[in-house]
Amino acid sequence: MKDIYVSDLMSFDEGKPFDCFFLVLTKQQRSTKSNKPYLNLILGDKTGQIEARVWDPGDPRIAKDFERGDLVKVRGSFSRYEDRAQVKVDQLRKANPGEADKMDMLPATRRDVGELWADLEASVASLANPDLKRLLTALLADTALAQAYREAPAARQLHHAWLGGLLEHVVSLLGLADRVAAHYPLLERDLLVTGVILHDIGKIRELEWESGFDYTVEGVLLGHIQMGVVLVEKTIAGLPGFPDRLRTLVLHMILSHHGKLEFGSPKLPMIPEALVLNFLDDLDAKMQAVASEFEKSAREGKAPDEMTGKVWALDQRQLLNTKAWLKAGNGE
Amino acid sequence: MKDIYVSDLMSFDEGKPFDCFFLVLTKQQRSTKSNKPYLNLILGDKTGQIEARVWDPGDPRIAKDFERGDLVKVRGSFSRYEDRAQVKVDQLRKANPGEADKMDMLPATRRDVGELWADLEASVASLANPDLKRLLTALLADTALAQAYREAPAARQLHHAWLGGLLEHVVSLLGLADRVAAHYPLLERDLLVTGVILHDIGKIRELEWESGFDYTVEGVLLGHIQMGVVLVEKTIAGLPGFPDRLRTLVLHMILSHHGKLEFGSPKLPMIPEALVLNFLDDLDAKMQAVASEFEKSAREGKAPDEMTGKVWALDQRQLLNTKAWLKAGNGE
Amino acid sequence: MKDIYVSDLMSFDEGKPFDCFFLVLTKQQRSTKSNKPYLNLILGDKTGQIEARVWDPGDPRIAKDFERGDLVKVRGSFSRYEDRAQVKVDQLRKANPGEADKMDMLPATRRDVGELWADLEASVASLANPDLKRLLTALLADTALAQAYREAPAARQLHHAWLGGLLEHVVSLLGLADRVAAHYPLLERDLLVTGVILHDIGKIRELEWESGFDYTVEGVLLGHIQMGVVLVEKTIAGLPGFPDRLRTLVLHMILSHHGKLEFGSPKLPMIPEALVLNFLDDLDAKMQAVASEFEKSAREGKAPDEMTGKVWALDQRQLLNTKAWLKAGNGE
Amino acid sequence: MKDIYVSDLMSFDEGKPFDCFFLVLTKQQRSTKSNKPYLNLILGDKTGQIEARVWDPGDPRIAKDFERGDLVKVRGSFSRYEDRAQVKVDQLRKANPGEADKMDMLPATRRDVGELWADLEASVASLANPDLKRLLTALLADTALAQAYREAPAARQLHHAWLGGLLEHVVSLLGLADRVAAHYPLLERDLLVTGVILHDIGKIRELEWESGFDYTVEGVLLGHIQMGVVLVEKTIAGLPGFPDRLRTLVLHMILSHHGKLEFGSPKLPMIPEALVLNFLDDLDAKMQAVASEFEKSAREGKAPDEMTGKVWALDQRQLLNTKAWLKAGNGE
Amino acid sequence: MKDIYVSDLMSFDEGKPFDCFFLVLTKQQRSTKSNKPYLNLILGDKTGQIEARVWDPGDPRIAKDFERGDLVKVRGSFSRYEDRAQVKVDQLRKANPGEADKMDMLPATRRDVGELWADLEASVASLANPDLKRLLTALLADTALAQAYREAPAARQLHHAWLGGLLEHVVSLLGLADRVAAHYPLLERDLLVTGVILHDIGKIRELEWESGFDYTVEGVLLGHIQMGVVLVEKTIAGLPGFPDRLRTLVLHMILSHHGKLEFGSPKLPMIPEALVLNFLDDLDAKMQAVASEFEKSAREGKAPDEMTGKVWALDQRQLLNTKAWLKAGNGE
Amino acid sequence: MKDIYVSDLMSFDEGKPFDCFFLVLTKQQRSTKSNKPYLNLILGDKTGQIEARVWDPGDPRIAKDFERGDLVKVRGSFSRYEDRAQVKVDQLRKANPGEADKMDMLPATRRDVGELWADLEASVASLANPDLKRLLTALLADTALAQAYREAPAARQLHHAWLGGLLEHVVSLLGLADRVAAHYPLLERDLLVTGVILHDIGKIRELEWESGFDYTVEGVLLGHIQMGVVLVEKTIAGLPGFPDRLRTLVLHMILSHHGKLEFGSPKLPMIPEALVLNFLDDLDAKMQAVASEFEKSAREGKAPDEMTGKVWALDQRQLLNTKAWLKAGNGE
């Protein structure tokens, strides 16, 4: 585990040297006005990002072979230029295997991933429909896929944009789905649960999180809905006797979960379970955005009487923290 | 209780006389080609509507004093003209008090209204916030209002468009709201419950259901959101010491519950409880539309392999009944 | 081949008996006012549709075992009721194998299907890229699929809505694509040609044309874009060493060919070939709509000075036939 | 009255000391890189805003007790940093009562408020409808409300965003309304006049202008339309015998005056007076935006041949000053 | 002048013969079921339209040479078929010159056209700008054009869709424009007046009203905005020394008067006069639609408590007649 | 021809003097903080733009009489301020006639203008329709217009925004149009060709390129569609016996070529040639944007695996260079 994080650097005295592991998020060749080449880096860990400069790239203490996505050990010092924090890099080498943990280098869920995974497995175990159960069991039996499912963020920037974010979002949805399925007997509960677990599974291929969160080229051209459909389709092809109709319904759940054509779903929800999945997915993403925004306002020291900033995920709406506002008003 | 309903008439032999109570939904003066005046009526009860003609309005056996909205007793006979069913009226008089029950004359909930009301009262009783509790208690203590709340449809034509529909919709929402509030600790549960109970309360003034379901002129010009706000505002004005902030939040819940400006909410939801109320209100209305559509398909004898007709409340989408379709496919 | 077509019946004297083969498009049980059961049928062939009634379904000369989608031989007579043509059915039996040709029973392309198919095969043969060539060759080697490709309509109702319409549309597009690829050297011609051939291939599963043109349930829930992707994906899986990048590009061509999310493409065209495919597909569909509309106006005897009716495929625009209008104006 | 205004500071020599009264618009605690705390202020008066820094907040000559919204007396000097003007504050204390006038501290109408108010009162006096007259009389008899009506801006940033802006906009509309009512005899002139006076009355609660122009939290959650309706509703409740229909119409005028649901009116105009109010309100706001834009262009020294900048209130359109352009072209 | 109008026929006894002049709106060749040819006509005058049939087109008493757009004298009798009125034609000949007046044959303004024209000429005379005055004078000096201006409807179906409707609409706008120009000194009044007179002048070529109201082919392909621009451009070309800038502004007024690109204006209003013209044009059209709708409701015997039907020109809104509703409520 | 270009300056040492010709794109009077007046210029040539400052405008070596749009000779030196390049001007005079070539001062097509023009003339020569041929011949016979046609950019900023861009775009379209006309026999090829040549001809008046690319005031108020129509209309007026219908069709081609009202075409394409023109115009503009974007990515050194930046002309889509990506993947 790291000793020093990006968030710690901000309080450092200027000029004081330190050693620290980072993930290289960007690496660019640049020149000064006097045409002296230097390296401009963006280094990150799970607490944030910081700009860094290698003024003498030819220095033997600066590794030649590192790239975007590498873990590196840096010796440097901290400075500020017009409110912009910067690291001056004196030494830099690639981290040795085991020296640093990638999970420390990108923002990650605050939940325990093992517990979340156990929740997911409990949901699979709870299925009464044998075909859906063997479909999910087969998928999650692929250890590489299961590992990716545990790591993947739910998005590059919006809701749950951190390692483990996909799993965290799915587990929250599983809780909601069970509550809502109990409320509407019309719903085929097992199909809804299956849809929750599979709806975003293509994100483990659409996104990559080795070197920051980004889309793969295949992800940009095909999209996670499509990639999820192909993945599930292939798994089903390996399950003899899987009912055709059930296959169609499961694929329809994935295809339609964005709820509108203009949100990238090529089909609107046309079965009740797909309708509910779209609602709950949207609600959970928005509730997470609300919670994040309230945390951000608190971090920024906003008074309870102030609305939050404009929230991208809610059409640039501003929000009010009901509980905080009511509490602040009690003494009035 | 009535012996004969509109739905029964359809199987009658032509020409056979019958006696029956109806609600007058429309009454128009017309003339034949040879300029003989006659009355064209639309008569209804809870099972449907039928056209009726009084060919000799001057006949002393035909009452002069009845209007749209009256309960009447009719003696007449049934006929068909090019697949259009029609009643030929021989005698007609206004019903005597107690002879017929208005609840028999308009479509009504199949749920027990007493039980639904008890559910609503239990929700009020469950509130921990004393101000919200006295607000709801004060409102429901108005017996005329409480009676109207029990009777009101939730809409003229769309979801829950029957007597008791508003109450049925609210009670379903209360169940959902409790489940979702338990899932998201962020939510101020009592405010959400209050919003559920009050969000559509203006409908008891926007709509009238004495003579079919229709909008009042005031309802058309002001709308149920506005009328609800004014009603709640006045009730709060009678509650000394009601906190200003709580008043603002309750009014905001009502104002924003349609979720979008273009759906008639002058404000978007800006507190988490309002966001959730909008989602659940929309979901419950759509799930009711889904259930109705599946019942309609069953009534019309559609095969499980056929999609339903286009559903207005779901953007003209067609739906598939998951459970029925899977069951029908089991033997394949 | 048939002797008599629906279009011929219109000029028949009322009451004159005839024998004719038809496709059963609809079969419904109904009752007369006096509760006598009868059958209401819609019968069709490639020239149109006509309503038919079997007034005595119990007559031994009326087969019991026919259904929607069957070819039948009918003996009956023609009548008109208020401008509505109708067939009174006296005898009806299922057609024996070979007695009637399904191609005679639905509207079909006026082009020679064999020639169109040869054009398609010539395009495949022209490909320089070996991977794309073996992909298309593998697909078309599936004789059931190739037969379906030759038969499929391009749509249920809009452009090219006739047997062979898909192939006719694709062959027209191949001609256009070659011309445009020659104009823009930037384009990877073989990828464009492959996209043209595969973009709508899912329609052979989305639609069924055994008993009129309709969507399959799977077609409604998944859509032809999705079904095409899965079909191509599976074929590629059987081609060892097929390049990953080429696979992504081919799937992207299919996914994006509608050009906009709101038209059901989950991805916008992001490579030049996909951009061009979307343009040409749209242009060819619209040009076919223009041509059809001009033919329709001519059939209806409209003067060259009259605009056509409102054209659905062109946003309800009215059109003017340039050549006809100029010619008509020459004498002025 | 102030001697020195923000607009004067711009021409001051750097470093020259001055004394001046300001309104505190923002007050923030900050630290230098070397962690020395300082205060960052934004100070304003009716001519503009300027940034100010208190480098030594502990200095006894700097008051401790001032907040955003206070009037303060500042001794300081002027400096520029990269084209950004700044005040270095040496002394600061809260203004004594009577020392400075809030009307001097925020942008204000150039019209005489007394005259504008007299125009408004003349309109009220001109009403023939006794109920509307007593409604307006009762409202304006509330001196706090009348004072607020005289002070309120019409908006935070768009048209008439200055003290007295609401009144100025209303008086312009009264003139227009009289002209248009005279043109269309169909119109109930008194209702139109009443609508003009009341349509934006909620703005006196939606906005606050003690410390710059801003929305109140209640204003954000409820909006001025809603707040106006509640205010008028309460006033009417105190007027015995006020006709129900007239009440509905007045409320409808307020509710519908934005003209479209997506502009925040929960109801569209459904009476001719509401239709006209919406048109005139929109026209007057736009004409004011046009006039402001032309003044701004003149201030910036644009030539008559140049279009103005993009105008926010007119969908980012650029405008041309007809009179100036024609005049400039006369010599051509 | 005619003795009998279409509106009179409705009360005629069936079978009674009459003589009457009509305008031929449609003439179609048809055949009965038994293949006997007959003519189907639609005949009209200013009070309405009626279907007519010539069962024996070969009868020597039936003219051969009449066409759509001709005035004809008809001898026939009246009948009804399922509530559809129809004329059975026994004799028909083209009207002799002078026998019938085209102004009697199409709906026409109820205003005095001479007075309206005098109002227009007074506006032209009032112009202080000599160039605008000679432009308008030159245009109206073309007697054919002036006659067409007096006759033209303002639209085929929407507002002012009657002979003289264009002039009536323009004169109403001139009154409004003078009032509004007096309110905003910013406005170049003469340019606004000129814009009012010229904005729709292309309609005299876009529409034709010889044989009912319809668009010309040129009108459909080019539109009245374009045709107006060309007409004004040509007139200006004949006025030596007409200032270039003024020409640009006048053309811009015409081009932009629909106010939005999607309403067919290729340019948005970018000068204040164009902005005002767009507002007033829209307002006057809507006020006329309101007035027409109230008249229609009165004609149909609607109660003052009923909203009107849905008004096409007002986005399908329903309206309430303020004055009538208030009056009806006075006794309550 | 110039020796030194803006693009060369970037690599100059700071302070080294140079002599160079430029086009003055902007000239502004400004003052330093100490109120010393200076001139701020933007100077450009075909390779780019650079800011320049004249610190002593009163120096006799600085010309007084130059304006925006003038060609000037500058002696100065190069400097950088925070990554912003700047020229310090020591001497400045207007260029003598013949000293510098305007074609060197603005970005220009890389194609040979003479060849492009010959292609255009060949298209005109190819027309079989004599009226269209004499229309185009007459237009291009105007040497000023023909010169402007050769010089005009196709847009200010988007596609083909360089000198000769209009001609380059038209010639590409002529090639496409011939290919597509050959594919669809329905098309009146000569009308399509004429439309291609004339559709943007108004741009030679809408834009001016003497002093950078900008809109004229007339261009802003009327637009190139309108200006093109008037130009063509006037030319036709000088051609005796030009058929009315052909005139209407040609004008319709120009009017409708943007394809949608919201793109500024006041009419939708209603003839097949106009439909095709709109498609090809759009396709060619987009293909040019694609090509430019790929060149830009290459210039910026992007890897073939990276998507391009967001492309304005393609709804902010990112693109992938198919050929480069496939090639880069070959070794995988």
Side-chain angles (χ1 to χ4, degrees), chain C residues 172 175-176 179-180 182-188 191 245-246 248-249 260 268-273 275-276 279 282-284 286-287 290 294 305 307 314 317-320 322-323 325-326 328-329 332, chain F residues 172 175-176 179-180 182-188 191 245-246 248-249 260 268-273 275-276 279 282-284 286-287 290 294 305 307 314 317-320 322-323 325-326 328-329 332:
Chain C
S172 178
L176 257 184
R179 292 170 190 272
V180 172
H183 189 72
Y184 293 113
L186 176 72
L187 293 170
E188 184 68 43
L191 183 60
R245 293 188 172 200
L246 204 53
T248 296
L249 295 175
K260 293 198 179 179
L268 302 184
M270 287 182 282
I271 58 175
E273 294 76 15
L275 187 76
V276 169
F279 261 86
D282 194 13
L283 175 61
D284 195 61
K286 286 195 168 58
M287 286 302 284
V290 169
F294 289 165
D305 282 29
M307 310 289 296
L314 285 157
R317 220 175 296 177
Q318 294 181 286
L319 300 172
L320 183 77
T322 313
K323 291 191 171 177
W325 194 60
L326 281 175
E332 287 185 1
Chain F
S172 178
L176 258 184
R179 293 170 190 274
V180 171
H183 189 72
Y184 293 114
L186 176 71
L187 293 170
E188 184 68 44
L191 183 60
R245 294 188 171 199
L246 204 53
T248 296
L249 294 174
K260 292 197 181 180
L268 303 184
M270 287 182 282
I271 59 175
E273 293 77 15
L275 188 76
V276 169
F279 261 87
D282 194 13
L283 175 61
D284 195 60
K286 287 195 165 61
M287 285 304 283
V290 168
F294 289 166
D305 281 29
M307 308 290 296
L314 284 158
R317 221 175 293 176
Q318 294 181 285
L319 299 173
L320 183 77
T322 312
K323 290 191 172 177
W325 194 60
L326 280 175
E332 286 183 4

Side-chain angles (χ1 to χ4, degrees), chain B residues 12 23 25 37 40 48 56 62 67 69 127 135 152 162 170 188 192 198 224 238 298 328:
Chain B
F12 276 28
L23 178 65
L25 297 170
N40 195 67
D56 185 2
I62 303 294
E67 296 300 336
L127 296 176
L135 167 58
W162 50 72
V170 164
E188 185 68 45
L192 177 59
L198 297 181
H224 72 273

Side-chain angles (χ1 to χ4, degrees), chain F residues 8-49:
Chain F
D8 300 322
L9 293 178
M10 302 304 169
S11 59
F12 276 29
D13 290 339
E14 292 196 54
K16 183 178 149 186
F18 65 85
D19 291 297
C20 187
F21 291 97
F22 296 107
L23 178 66
V24 179
L25 297 170
T26 311
K27 177 188 176 187
Q28 288 177 312
Q29 301 273 2
R30 290 196 188 161
S31 308
T32 63
K33 296 176 208 168
S34 50
N35 266 328
K36 206 170 152 307
Y38 68 92
L39 289 178
N40 195 65
L41 309 175
I42 297 181
L43 303 174
D45 62 24
K46 72 179 181 189
T47 69
Q49 307 180 357

Side-chain angles (χ1 to χ4, degrees), chain E residues 266-284:
Chain E
K267 283 288 171 182
L268 301 185
M270 286 182 283
I271 57 174
E273 294 75 16
L275 187 76
V276 168
L277 174 59
N278 167 240
F279 261 87
L280 300 187
D281 187 29
D282 194 13
L283 175 61
D284 196 61

